[in-house]
mmCIF file of all heavy atoms in Angstrom:
data_model
loop_
_atom_site.group_PDB
_atom_site.id
_atom_site.type_symbol
_atom_site.label_atom_id
_atom_site.label_comp_id
_atom_site.label_asym_id
_atom_site.label_seq_id
_atom_site.Cartn_x
_atom_site.Cartn_y
_atom_site.Cartn_z
ATOM 1 N N CYS A 341 -9.462 13.121 -22.023
ATOM 2 C CA CYS A 341 -9.447 14.230 -22.976
ATOM 3 C C CYS A 341 -10.156 13.758 -24.230
ATOM 4 O O CYS A 341 -9.788 12.712 -24.792
ATOM 5 C CB CYS A 341 -8.008 14.629 -23.284
ATOM 6 S SG CYS A 341 -7.853 15.923 -24.543
ATOM 7 N N GLN A 342 -11.171 14.484 -24.666
ATOM 8 C CA GLN A 342 -11.838 14.138 -25.918
ATOM 9 C C GLN A 342 -11.507 15.187 -26.967
ATOM 10 O O GLN A 342 -11.550 16.391 -26.692
ATOM 11 C CB GLN A 342 -13.352 13.993 -25.721
ATOM 12 C CG GLN A 342 -13.690 12.723 -24.906
ATOM 13 C CD GLN A 342 -15.175 12.375 -24.855
ATOM 14 O OE1 GLN A 342 -16.024 13.247 -24.739
ATOM 15 N NE2 GLN A 342 -15.494 11.082 -24.906
ATOM 16 N N LEU A 343 -11.171 14.709 -28.159
ATOM 17 C CA LEU A 343 -10.678 15.575 -29.235
ATOM 18 C C LEU A 343 -11.514 15.434 -30.498
ATOM 19 O O LEU A 343 -11.995 14.347 -30.815
ATOM 20 C CB LEU A 343 -9.231 15.193 -29.592
ATOM 21 C CG LEU A 343 -8.171 15.385 -28.519
ATOM 22 C CD1 LEU A 343 -6.855 14.752 -28.961
ATOM 23 C CD2 LEU A 343 -7.967 16.864 -28.220
ATOM 24 N N SER A 344 -11.633 16.536 -31.209
ATOM 25 C CA SER A 344 -12.310 16.527 -32.508
ATOM 26 C C SER A 344 -11.494 17.355 -33.484
ATOM 27 O O SER A 344 -11.036 18.449 -33.150
ATOM 28 C CB SER A 344 -13.718 17.119 -32.351
ATOM 29 O OG SER A 344 -14.262 17.471 -33.600
ATOM 30 N N ILE A 345 -11.310 16.839 -34.687
ATOM 31 C CA ILE A 345 -10.465 17.509 -35.683
ATOM 32 C C ILE A 345 -11.341 17.949 -36.847
ATOM 33 O O ILE A 345 -12.095 17.143 -37.410
ATOM 34 C CB ILE A 345 -9.348 16.561 -36.186
ATOM 35 C CG1 ILE A 345 -8.501 16.102 -35.006
ATOM 36 C CG2 ILE A 345 -8.474 17.264 -37.228
ATOM 37 C CD1 ILE A 345 -8.949 14.798 -34.379
ATOM 38 N N ASN A 346 -11.231 19.213 -37.208
ATOM 39 C CA ASN A 346 -12.095 19.788 -38.235
ATOM 40 C C ASN A 346 -11.330 20.735 -39.151
ATOM 41 O O ASN A 346 -10.437 21.442 -38.704
ATOM 42 C CB ASN A 346 -13.213 20.616 -37.574
ATOM 43 C CG ASN A 346 -13.979 19.819 -36.544
ATOM 44 O OD1 ASN A 346 -14.939 19.149 -36.877
ATOM 45 N ND2 ASN A 346 -13.530 19.851 -35.287
ATOM 46 N N VAL A 347 -11.761 20.765 -40.394
ATOM 47 C CA VAL A 347 -11.235 21.763 -41.328
ATOM 48 C C VAL A 347 -12.437 22.456 -41.974
ATOM 49 O O VAL A 347 -12.931 22.044 -43.025
ATOM 50 C CB VAL A 347 -10.330 21.117 -42.399
ATOM 51 C CG1 VAL A 347 -9.729 22.211 -43.294
ATOM 52 C CG2 VAL A 347 -9.211 20.318 -41.749
ATOM 53 N N PRO A 348 -12.936 23.520 -41.310
ATOM 54 C CA PRO A 348 -14.167 24.150 -41.788
ATOM 55 C C PRO A 348 -14.060 24.609 -43.238
ATOM 56 O O PRO A 348 -13.060 25.203 -43.630
ATOM 57 C CB PRO A 348 -14.336 25.354 -40.844
ATOM 58 C CG PRO A 348 -13.572 24.990 -39.618
ATOM 59 C CD PRO A 348 -12.417 24.150 -40.094
ATOM 60 N N GLN A 349 -15.095 24.319 -43.984
ATOM 61 C CA GLN A 349 -15.184 24.719 -45.403
ATOM 62 C C GLN A 349 -14.045 24.145 -46.244
ATOM 63 O O GLN A 349 -13.845 24.590 -47.366
ATOM 64 C CB GLN A 349 -15.153 26.256 -45.547
ATOM 65 C CG GLN A 349 -15.993 27.032 -44.544
ATOM 66 C CD GLN A 349 -17.455 26.712 -44.694
ATOM 67 O OE1 GLN A 349 -17.976 26.754 -45.805
ATOM 68 N NE2 GLN A 349 -18.111 26.326 -43.619
ATOM 69 N N GLY A 350 -13.295 23.214 -45.692
ATOM 70 C CA GLY A 350 -12.168 22.692 -46.449
ATOM 71 C C GLY A 350 -11.111 23.746 -46.756
ATOM 72 O O GLY A 350 -10.349 23.613 -47.714
ATOM 73 N N ARG A 351 -11.074 24.805 -45.960
ATOM 74 C CA ARG A 351 -10.111 25.881 -46.212
ATOM 75 C C ARG A 351 -8.754 25.517 -45.596
ATOM 76 O O ARG A 351 -8.447 24.351 -45.385
ATOM 77 C CB ARG A 351 -10.660 27.196 -45.649
ATOM 78 C CG ARG A 351 -11.894 27.695 -46.438
ATOM 79 C CD ARG A 351 -12.456 28.961 -45.822
ATOM 80 N NE ARG A 351 -13.612 29.475 -46.575
ATOM 81 C CZ ARG A 351 -14.377 30.481 -46.150
ATOM 82 N NH1 ARG A 351 -14.131 31.084 -45.011
ATOM 83 N NH2 ARG A 351 -15.410 30.893 -46.877
ATOM 84 N N ASP A 352 -7.997 26.519 -45.257
ATOM 85 C CA ASP A 352 -6.612 26.242 -44.835
ATOM 86 C C ASP A 352 -6.391 26.327 -43.332
ATOM 87 O O ASP A 352 -5.253 26.388 -42.872
ATOM 88 C CB ASP A 352 -5.649 27.193 -45.563
ATOM 89 C CG ASP A 352 -5.852 28.631 -45.119
ATOM 90 O OD1 ASP A 352 -6.856 28.913 -44.420
ATOM 91 O OD2 ASP A 352 -5.011 29.477 -45.464
ATOM 92 N N THR A 353 -7.481 26.357 -42.582
ATOM 93 C CA THR A 353 -7.345 26.429 -41.126
ATOM 94 C C THR A 353 -7.912 25.154 -40.497
ATOM 95 O O THR A 353 -9.042 24.767 -40.784
ATOM 96 C CB THR A 353 -8.095 27.661 -40.576
ATOM 97 O OG1 THR A 353 -7.511 28.839 -41.142
ATOM 98 C CG2 THR A 353 -7.997 27.718 -39.064
ATOM 99 N N VAL A 354 -7.095 24.505 -39.675
ATOM 100 C CA VAL A 354 -7.589 23.330 -38.970
ATOM 101 C C VAL A 354 -8.042 23.760 -37.577
ATOM 102 O O VAL A 354 -7.375 24.565 -36.917
ATOM 103 C CB VAL A 354 -6.516 22.221 -38.885
ATOM 104 C CG1 VAL A 354 -5.232 22.722 -38.241
ATOM 105 C CG2 VAL A 354 -7.035 21.013 -38.102
ATOM 106 N N VAL A 355 -9.200 23.250 -37.169
ATOM 107 C CA VAL A 355 -9.775 23.576 -35.866
ATOM 108 C C VAL A 355 -9.836 22.297 -35.037
ATOM 109 O O VAL A 355 -10.566 21.359 -35.381
ATOM 110 C CB VAL A 355 -11.195 24.168 -36.017
ATOM 111 C CG1 VAL A 355 -11.791 24.453 -34.649
ATOM 112 C CG2 VAL A 355 -11.164 25.431 -36.865
ATOM 113 N N VAL A 356 -9.069 22.270 -33.975
ATOM 114 C CA VAL A 356 -9.126 21.123 -33.064
ATOM 115 C C VAL A 356 -9.900 21.540 -31.821
ATOM 116 O O VAL A 356 -9.642 22.615 -31.260
ATOM 117 C CB VAL A 356 -7.718 20.646 -32.666
ATOM 118 C CG1 VAL A 356 -7.802 19.454 -31.723
ATOM 119 C CG2 VAL A 356 -6.909 20.299 -33.905
ATOM 120 N N LEU A 357 -10.861 20.717 -31.437
ATOM 121 C CA LEU A 357 -11.614 20.944 -30.202
ATOM 122 C C LEU A 357 -11.114 19.951 -29.167
ATOM 123 O O LEU A 357 -11.003 18.755 -29.451
ATOM 124 C CB LEU A 357 -13.105 20.739 -30.451
ATOM 125 C CG LEU A 357 -13.680 21.489 -31.662
ATOM 126 C CD1 LEU A 357 -15.122 21.053 -31.916
ATOM 127 C CD2 LEU A 357 -13.608 22.990 -31.449
ATOM 128 N N SER A 358 -10.830 20.430 -27.986
ATOM 129 C CA SER A 358 -10.253 19.580 -26.950
ATOM 130 C C SER A 358 -10.942 19.853 -25.622
ATOM 131 O O SER A 358 -11.050 21.004 -25.201
ATOM 132 C CB SER A 358 -8.751 19.898 -26.831
ATOM 133 O OG SER A 358 -8.167 19.187 -25.761
ATOM 134 N N THR A 359 -11.451 18.798 -24.988
ATOM 135 C CA THR A 359 -12.133 18.987 -23.703
ATOM 136 C C THR A 359 -11.554 18.076 -22.633
ATOM 137 O O THR A 359 -11.211 16.914 -22.896
ATOM 138 C CB THR A 359 -13.639 18.664 -23.801
ATOM 139 O OG1 THR A 359 -13.787 17.369 -24.388
ATOM 140 C CG2 THR A 359 -14.383 19.678 -24.608
ATOM 141 N N ILE A 360 -11.485 18.620 -21.439
ATOM 142 C CA ILE A 360 -11.125 17.831 -20.257
ATOM 143 C C ILE A 360 -11.947 18.341 -19.083
ATOM 144 O O ILE A 360 -12.574 19.401 -19.162
ATOM 145 C CB ILE A 360 -9.623 17.955 -19.896
ATOM 146 C CG1 ILE A 360 -9.247 19.431 -19.630
ATOM 147 C CG2 ILE A 360 -8.736 17.365 -20.977
ATOM 148 C CD1 ILE A 360 -7.860 19.623 -19.052
ATOM 149 N N ASP A 361 -11.963 17.586 -18.009
ATOM 150 C CA ASP A 361 -12.415 18.113 -16.721
ATOM 151 C C ASP A 361 -11.168 18.708 -16.080
ATOM 152 O O ASP A 361 -10.188 17.993 -15.820
ATOM 153 C CB ASP A 361 -12.998 16.990 -15.858
ATOM 154 C CG ASP A 361 -13.544 17.512 -14.523
ATOM 155 O OD1 ASP A 361 -12.940 18.451 -13.946
ATOM 156 O OD2 ASP A 361 -14.544 16.971 -14.041
ATOM 157 N N ASN A 362 -11.203 20.022 -15.833
ATOM 158 C CA ASN A 362 -10.004 20.678 -15.317
ATOM 159 C C ASN A 362 -9.534 20.103 -13.984
ATOM 160 O O ASN A 362 -8.339 20.125 -13.688
ATOM 161 C CB ASN A 362 -10.232 22.187 -15.170
ATOM 162 C CG ASN A 362 -11.446 22.516 -14.323
ATOM 163 O OD1 ASN A 362 -12.556 22.065 -14.635
ATOM 164 N ND2 ASN A 362 -11.269 23.261 -13.259
ATOM 165 N N LEU A 363 -10.453 19.558 -13.199
ATOM 166 C CA LEU A 363 -10.042 18.993 -11.906
ATOM 167 C C LEU A 363 -9.564 17.554 -12.031
ATOM 168 O O LEU A 363 -9.000 17.013 -11.094
ATOM 169 C CB LEU A 363 -11.203 19.063 -10.903
ATOM 170 C CG LEU A 363 -11.641 20.470 -10.494
ATOM 171 C CD1 LEU A 363 -12.795 20.399 -9.507
ATOM 172 C CD2 LEU A 363 -10.483 21.251 -9.881
ATOM 173 N N VAL A 364 -9.796 16.901 -13.152
ATOM 174 C CA VAL A 364 -9.408 15.494 -13.295
ATOM 175 C C VAL A 364 -8.220 15.419 -14.262
ATOM 176 O O VAL A 364 -7.078 15.541 -13.841
ATOM 177 C CB VAL A 364 -10.598 14.616 -13.725
ATOM 178 C CG1 VAL A 364 -10.245 13.129 -13.553
ATOM 179 C CG2 VAL A 364 -11.837 14.939 -12.900
ATOM 180 N N LYS A 365 -8.459 15.259 -15.545
ATOM 181 C CA LYS A 365 -7.316 15.201 -16.470
ATOM 182 C C LYS A 365 -6.509 16.495 -16.411
ATOM 183 O O LYS A 365 -5.311 16.511 -16.720
ATOM 184 C CB LYS A 365 -7.812 14.914 -17.893
ATOM 185 C CG LYS A 365 -6.700 14.727 -18.932
ATOM 186 C CD LYS A 365 -5.766 13.547 -18.656
ATOM 187 C CE LYS A 365 -4.727 13.382 -19.765
ATOM 188 N NZ LYS A 365 -3.600 12.517 -19.349
ATOM 189 N N GLY A 366 -7.146 17.591 -15.962
ATOM 190 C CA GLY A 366 -6.431 18.855 -15.835
ATOM 191 C C GLY A 366 -5.749 19.057 -14.506
ATOM 192 O O GLY A 366 -5.100 20.078 -14.298
ATOM 193 N N ALA A 367 -5.868 18.090 -13.590
ATOM 194 C CA ALA A 367 -5.220 18.267 -12.281
ATOM 195 C C ALA A 367 -5.116 16.924 -11.540
ATOM 196 O O ALA A 367 -4.164 16.169 -11.734
ATOM 197 C CB ALA A 367 -5.964 19.295 -11.436
ATOM 198 N N SER A 368 -6.092 16.629 -10.706
ATOM 199 C CA SER A 368 -5.948 15.515 -9.762
ATOM 200 C C SER A 368 -5.933 14.157 -10.449
ATOM 201 O O SER A 368 -5.239 13.234 -9.995
ATOM 202 C CB SER A 368 -7.076 15.580 -8.734
ATOM 203 O OG SER A 368 -7.067 16.844 -8.092
ATOM 204 N N GLY A 369 -6.698 14.002 -11.509
ATOM 205 C CA GLY A 369 -6.691 12.725 -12.222
ATOM 206 C C GLY A 369 -5.347 12.494 -12.893
ATOM 207 O O GLY A 369 -4.781 11.403 -12.835
ATOM 208 N N GLN A 370 -4.836 13.536 -13.523
ATOM 209 C CA GLN A 370 -3.526 13.418 -14.158
ATOM 210 C C GLN A 370 -2.456 13.112 -13.099
ATOM 211 O O GLN A 370 -1.517 12.349 -13.353
ATOM 212 C CB GLN A 370 -3.195 14.725 -14.891
ATOM 213 C CG GLN A 370 -1.971 14.625 -15.751
ATOM 214 C CD GLN A 370 -2.154 15.346 -17.081
ATOM 215 O OE1 GLN A 370 -2.556 14.734 -18.066
ATOM 216 N NE2 GLN A 370 -1.880 16.620 -17.109
ATOM 217 N N ALA A 371 -2.612 13.690 -11.906
ATOM 218 C CA ALA A 371 -1.663 13.422 -10.821
ATOM 219 C C ALA A 371 -1.703 11.944 -10.431
ATOM 220 O O ALA A 371 -0.664 11.314 -10.202
ATOM 221 C CB ALA A 371 -1.992 14.312 -9.622
ATOM 222 N N VAL A 372 -2.895 11.390 -10.362
ATOM 223 C CA VAL A 372 -3.010 9.967 -10.010
ATOM 224 C C VAL A 372 -2.470 9.094 -11.151
ATOM 225 O O VAL A 372 -1.808 8.076 -10.922
ATOM 226 C CB VAL A 372 -4.477 9.612 -9.681
ATOM 227 C CG1 VAL A 372 -4.645 8.112 -9.492
ATOM 228 C CG2 VAL A 372 -4.932 10.365 -8.426
ATOM 229 N N GLN A 373 -2.755 9.524 -12.382
ATOM 230 C CA GLN A 373 -2.200 8.799 -13.533
ATOM 231 C C GLN A 373 -0.673 8.761 -13.436
ATOM 232 O O GLN A 373 -0.045 7.708 -13.641
ATOM 233 C CB GLN A 373 -2.657 9.502 -14.822
ATOM 234 C CG GLN A 373 -2.299 8.781 -16.108
ATOM 235 C CD GLN A 373 -2.778 9.530 -17.362
ATOM 236 O OE1 GLN A 373 -3.505 10.524 -17.257
ATOM 237 N NE2 GLN A 373 -2.378 9.040 -18.523
ATOM 238 N N CYS A 374 -0.076 9.879 -13.105
ATOM 239 C CA CYS A 374 1.388 9.923 -12.959
ATOM 240 C C CYS A 374 1.845 9.048 -11.788
ATOM 241 O O CYS A 374 2.851 8.338 -11.897
ATOM 242 C CB CYS A 374 1.852 11.368 -12.770
ATOM 243 S SG CYS A 374 1.725 12.340 -14.291
ATOM 244 N N LEU A 375 1.117 9.113 -10.700
ATOM 245 C CA LEU A 375 1.458 8.241 -9.562
ATOM 246 C C LEU A 375 1.468 6.785 -9.996
ATOM 247 O O LEU A 375 2.392 6.018 -9.655
ATOM 248 C CB LEU A 375 0.449 8.439 -8.422
ATOM 249 C CG LEU A 375 0.595 7.508 -7.214
ATOM 250 C CD1 LEU A 375 0.227 8.229 -5.923
ATOM 251 C CD2 LEU A 375 -0.251 6.246 -7.351
ATOM 252 N N ASN A 376 0.450 6.394 -10.739
ATOM 253 C CA ASN A 376 0.402 4.997 -11.201
ATOM 254 C C ASN A 376 1.664 4.635 -11.994
ATOM 255 O O ASN A 376 2.245 3.562 -11.805
ATOM 256 C CB ASN A 376 -0.844 4.766 -12.060
ATOM 257 C CG ASN A 376 -2.124 4.746 -11.230
ATOM 258 O OD1 ASN A 376 -2.092 4.497 -10.019
ATOM 259 N ND2 ASN A 376 -3.260 5.017 -11.868
ATOM 260 N N ILE A 377 2.069 5.540 -12.863
ATOM 261 C CA ILE A 377 3.275 5.281 -13.661
ATOM 262 C C ILE A 377 4.504 5.254 -12.756
ATOM 263 O O ILE A 377 5.349 4.355 -12.849
ATOM 264 C CB ILE A 377 3.424 6.362 -14.760
ATOM 265 C CG1 ILE A 377 2.213 6.329 -15.699
ATOM 266 C CG2 ILE A 377 4.715 6.152 -15.554
ATOM 267 C CD1 ILE A 377 2.154 7.487 -16.678
#
Side-chain angles (χ1 to χ4, degrees):
Chain A
C341 176
Q342 289 190 320
L343 296 171
S344 164
I345 302 93
N346 306 272
V347 184
Q349 317 297 310
R351 292 177 179 172
D352 67 349
T353 299
V354 56
V355 178
V356 180
L357 310 172
S358 175
T359 52
I360 59 171
D361 183 324
N362 55 303
L363 294 180
V364 193
K365 184 62 177 164
S368 304
Q370 189 139 267
V372 173
Q373 187 180 352
C374 288
L375 175 146
N376 288 338
I377 299 171

